[in-house]
Amino acid sequence: DRAALLVGRRADGPPPSPMVCACHGVTAAAIAASGAADVTGVGAATRAGTGCGSCRPEIASLLAREAT
């Protein structure tokens, strides 16, 4: 348990998902789970990309990686 904590992992599961949208606190896992096919759809489902918009390229990149 201590070793997992020291490397930034939870002892009882996988490491936390990286934060993609800081404005609305949306993680990469939440974006993947949204089922949206485009950045606008992700925004509608999770609010990611609807604040300052700086995460929109990262959201598009995540969606492109999932599509392949």
Side-chain angles (χ1 to χ4, degrees):
D1 290 345
R2 185 175 182 184
L5 179 64
L6 291 173
V7 296
R9 295 191 177 143
R10 296 185 338 205
D12 61 344
S17 180
M19 185 69 60
V20 175
C21 177
C23 294
H24 298 292
V26 182
T27 64
I31 291 169
S34 74
D38 59 16
V39 176
T40 303
V42 169
T46 66
R47 297 184 59 207
T50 63
C52 74
S54 66
C55 62
R56 291 175 69 83
E58 180 63 22
I59 294 168
S61 176
L62 286 171
L63 294 173
R65 279 184 260 158
E66 286 181 18
T68 59

